[in-house]
Amino acid sequence: MPEKKIRVLVAKPGLDGHDRGAKVIARALRDDGMEVIYTGLRQTPEMIAEAALQEDVDVVGLSILSGAHNALVPQIIQELKDNGQENIVVFLGGIIPEDDIQGLLEQGVHKVYGPGTDTREVCKDIRSAVSAEA
Amino acid sequence: MPAELTSELRKGNRLALSRVLSQIEKGSEKSVRILESLFPFTGQAHKIGITGPPGSGKSTLVNALARQLRTLENHPKVAIIAVDPTSPFSGGAILGDRVRMQDLQGDKGIFIRSMASRGALGGLAAQTEMMSQAFDAAAYEYIIIETVGAGQSEVDIVNLAHTTIVVDVPGMGDDIQSIKAGILEIADILVVNKSDQLGADQSVKHLQNMIAMGYRGLRYAGGKHRLSATMPQKQEEVETTGWVPPVLKTVAFDGTGVDKLADEIVKHGKYLKETGLWTQKAESAITDTLRKLIQSTLYQQWRQTIPDEELEDIIIQVLQRTLHPHQAIKQLLSYNKITRN
Ligand SMILES: Nc1nc2c(ncn2[C@@H]2O[C@H](COP(=O)(O)OP(=O)(O)OP(=O)(O)O)[C@@H](O)[C@H]2O)c(=O)[nH]1
Ligand SMILES: [Mg+2]
């Protein structure tokens, strides 16, 4: 039986228009053997949850540079739960102030990554988080 | 558990459908049982294959087309299977077609599933066919399958569709055409997308000429070069009533020409039903899928009977020419029996 591929939705919620970071991480995950579904810019929490549902992903990776993480992330996690996908592992990358991180982790974010994170670390974290879920 | 997934899928539970699609992709034991129970409820959906060169605007066109199909009588549900290539280096993939389909996200009557091309049990075509069956049983009336028009596996996929749409873009002249002849031959409908760009009319004319030549070739040369052996019905299709592939102009990002495209798809569906070709296509799709499943199942069963070292050993002997490939096959196929008895 071929091993199931890890499927990751890489999404950019909010209004900022830069997806370079999201694309870098998408490529790193692909090069690590994962299937990355990329949805583009300016996604609402509802759109992200809907894409996660249709694609049956194991992981949602969010990239937020706009500073709106405290508003957006809880909404996204709630939408995923409402859809019955509370098992999805949620990662967050971007410019997130130190003071906000604890609160986000308590909301259900698995881990928060700042700028300049080694992508190999992200890949490793995803693999161990997904195998723990299974 | 499979029984529950099945009945939830039939009730319209989209998470259940999504999980069934994952099981199919995994090629799990469970998916086999699920597909068995769904099978009686399939056979209704109109499968549409869309192929064409990279960047020709297929996803953007699918976006516009799905919206258009939703406006038809009774607002039929639309499923989209978007296939992107798997990286040959890592086995991973970036599936980016959804970026161009953002308009569809708010509509619960549309379901988009992205899929990586390699590693499918029984091949990509068999896999998209089985996924189509799940959508079909979940009452999706149109199933659109997008693939990059590159090779045989794409041809196989669109062969499973009822209606095949080949997308091209305005070329730079008559002799520079992005569509290869082999791909053109499978088209039921041809689309020149990006017709807001220079040279669209020229491309249309060129494609129409190629089609006309194809038909003459068919009549006078027995159609050998138009028709592949796997699709004998195409031959009849042309000979009996003659569906001549229309060539349409579209501008995918503003929807120009997409209403006409939807009309032609519906028309082609009616034509297939009236001529009995619909059933024939279904039969050939099923036979094809069966054949591929048998091949891969037998291969996997056989592969489990023989340890890696043993296989390598025999391959080495063949490489050293101490063993003829025929002898190798004999040994490989009987390995299990010899050791067990
Ligand atoms: N000018 C023009 N550009 C278009 C049109 N349709 C699509 N595009 C643009 O063409 C580019 C590629 O579009 P896609 O829809 O991603 O093309 P695709 O064929 O799905 O691409 P792949 O899946 O990567 O093979 C995008 O930048 C689109 O905005 C059109 O009708 N006219
Ligand atoms: Mg595309």
Side-chain angles (χ1 to χ4, degrees):
Chain A
M1 191 62 48
E3 168 197 2
K4 188 198 181 290
K5 282 263 143 70
I6 296 176
R7 282 168 72 85
V8 186
L9 180 75
V10 172
K12 267 210 66 65
L15 297 176
D16 63 288
H18 298 280
D19 63 352
R20 227 171 63 89
K23 281 182 172 161
V24 168
I25 191 67
R27 275 196 289 270
L29 300 180
R30 177 205 51 200
D31 293 341
D32 198 54
M34 302 184 202
E35 289 181 0
V36 183
I37 293 111
Y38 185 61
T39 52
L41 294 168
R42 299 196 180 82
Q43 301 283 295
T44 65
E46 207 185 354
M47 285 160 92
I48 291 169
E50 181 61 30
L53 175 113
Q54 294 178 4
E55 302 288 357
D56 192 19
V57 292
D58 310 289
V59 178
V60 171
L62 301 169
S63 160
I64 306 179
L65 303 171
S66 61
H69 45 272
N70 286 333
L72 290 168
V73 173
Q75 276 184 58
I76 292 165
I77 289 177
Q78 190 57 47
E79 295 270 356
L80 291 174
K81 276 197 187 123
D82 292 348
N83 285 348
Q85 290 194 292
E86 53 281 333
N87 291 343
I88 289 181
V89 180
V90 177
F91 286 85
L92 174 60
I95 303 163
I96 315 292
E98 201 63 43
D99 291 350
D100 292 346
I101 293 179
Q102 193 50 38
L104 290 164
L105 295 178
E106 275 161 24
Q107 295 275 351
V109 174
H110 194 82
K111 201 164 170 183
V112 178
Y113 300 96
T117 305
D118 187 341
T119 53
R120 280 171 301 187
E121 184 193 332
V122 183
C123 295
K124 220 175 99 212
D125 290 345
I126 289 182
R127 289 200 177 274
S128 67
V130 169
S131 59
E133 274 297 326
Chain B
M1 199 41 184
E4 198 188 315
L5 267 184
T6 306
S7 76
E8 282 299 309
L9 177 150
R10 292 274 300 149
K11 271 189 251 162
N13 179 334
R14 296 152 76 249
L15 184 58
L17 169 62
S18 193
R19 295 202 163 138
V20 166
L21 295 171
S22 300
Q23 291 294 333
I24 293 171
E25 223 179 347
K26 260 201 291 187
S28 68
E29 225 16 77
K30 200 162 144 189
S31 78
V32 176
R33 273 174 293 152
I34 293 169
L35 284 167
E36 281 166 3
S37 59
L38 292 179
F39 196 58
F41 307 106
T42 62
Q44 304 305 311
H46 187 158
K47 290 176 282 182
I48 303 160
I50 297 199
T51 192
S56 51
K58 299 178 292 298
S59 300
T60 317
L61 191 63
V62 169
N63 179 65
L65 177 61
R67 274 205 334 207
Q68 183 65 30
L69 291 171
R70 290 283 290 153
T71 66
L72 298 178
E73 208 184 330
N74 298 326
H75 307 291
K77 291 204 287 181
V78 179
I80 297 162
I81 304 173
V83 185
D84 276 320
T86 298
S87 155
F89 303 108
S90 68
I94 293 181
L95 312 171
D97 293 316
R98 290 188 86 98
V99 175
R100 307 278 167 215
M101 302 184 191
Q102 302 224 10
D103 297 350
L104 310 178
Q105 303 260 20
D107 184 349
K108 296 265 192 295
I110 293 179
F111 195 113
I112 309 167
R113 182 63 172 232
S114 311
M115 192 180 132
S117 65
R118 234 152 304 186
L121 180 76
L124 188 54
Q127 179 142 321
T128 46
E129 172 61 18
M130 288 184 287
M131 286 183 136
S132 299
Q133 286 174 8
F135 280 122
D136 194 349
Y140 286 80
E141 283 177 56
Y142 291 96
I143 301 168
I144 307 175
I145 304 157
E146 176 192 335
T147 59
V148 176
Q152 186 57 42
S153 65
E154 282 72 24
V155 174
D156 287 345
I157 292 170
V158 294
N159 268 343
L160 294 173
H162 295 104
T163 303
T164 300
I165 300 169
V166 174
V167 181
D168 199 5
V169 289
M172 292 147 175
D174 276 357
D175 34 40
I176 304 172
Q177 279 293 320
S178 40
I179 291 185
K180 297 183 210 89
I183 294 283
L184 187 69
E185 288 164 11
I186 59 174
D188 296 305
I189 299 170
L190 282 149
V191 170
V192 176
N193 188 42
K194 306 198 184 183
S195 62
D196 52 318
Q197 294 180 347
L198 222 62
D201 289 321
Q202 213 181 337
S203 287
V204 168
K205 207 163 273 161
H206 183 77
L207 290 172
Q208 280 168 340
N209 285 340
M210 280 174 80
I211 289 169
M213 266 159 29
Y215 280 92
R216 201 172 315 124
L218 179 75
R219 246 168 246 145
Y220 298 120
K224 287 229 177 60
H225 73 270
R226 183 183 144 85
L227 308 162
S228 75
T230 52
M231 285 298 282
Q233 64 268 37
K234 284 256 182 183
Q235 186 161 2
E236 259 162 67
E237 187 177 324
V238 175
E239 277 168 0
T240 48
T241 26
W243 173 268
V244 179
V247 183
L248 310 174
K249 281 196 291 187
T250 61
V251 181
F253 58 44
D254 69 8
T256 304
V258 175
D259 48 346
K260 185 83 175 48
L261 175 59
D263 288 349
E264 288 292 341
I265 290 169
V266 172
K267 215 166 100 186
H268 189 245
K270 281 200 186 113
Y271 159 78
L272 291 175
K273 282 179 178 155
E274 278 160 13
T275 52
L277 288 165
W278 181 279
T279 331
Q280 269 188 42
K281 283 204 181 216
E283 276 168 19
S284 94
I286 285 172
T287 323
D288 215 49
T289 309
L290 263 182
R291 190 163 43 81
K292 288 188 177 120
L293 275 178
I294 289 170
Q295 282 171 357
S296 64
T297 311
L298 283 180
Y299 176 78
Q300 283 194 346
Q301 279 177 3
W302 163 76
R303 195 56 194 80
Q304 278 162 13
T305 65
I306 186 158
D308 290 349
E309 320 81 71
E310 211 60 46
L311 180 58
E312 258 165 54
D313 190 52
I314 290 179
I315 290 172
I316 288 170
Q317 289 182 51
V318 175
L319 285 175
Q320 291 169 341
R321 301 191 179 255
T322 53
L323 195 67
H324 188 271
H326 284 147
Q327 293 168 299
I329 290 291
K330 227 180 260 170
Q331 282 191 23
L332 287 171
L333 289 180
S334 55
Y335 179 80
N336 188 27
K337 288 172 206 138
I338 295 166
T339 47
R340 277 214 195 130
N341 296 340

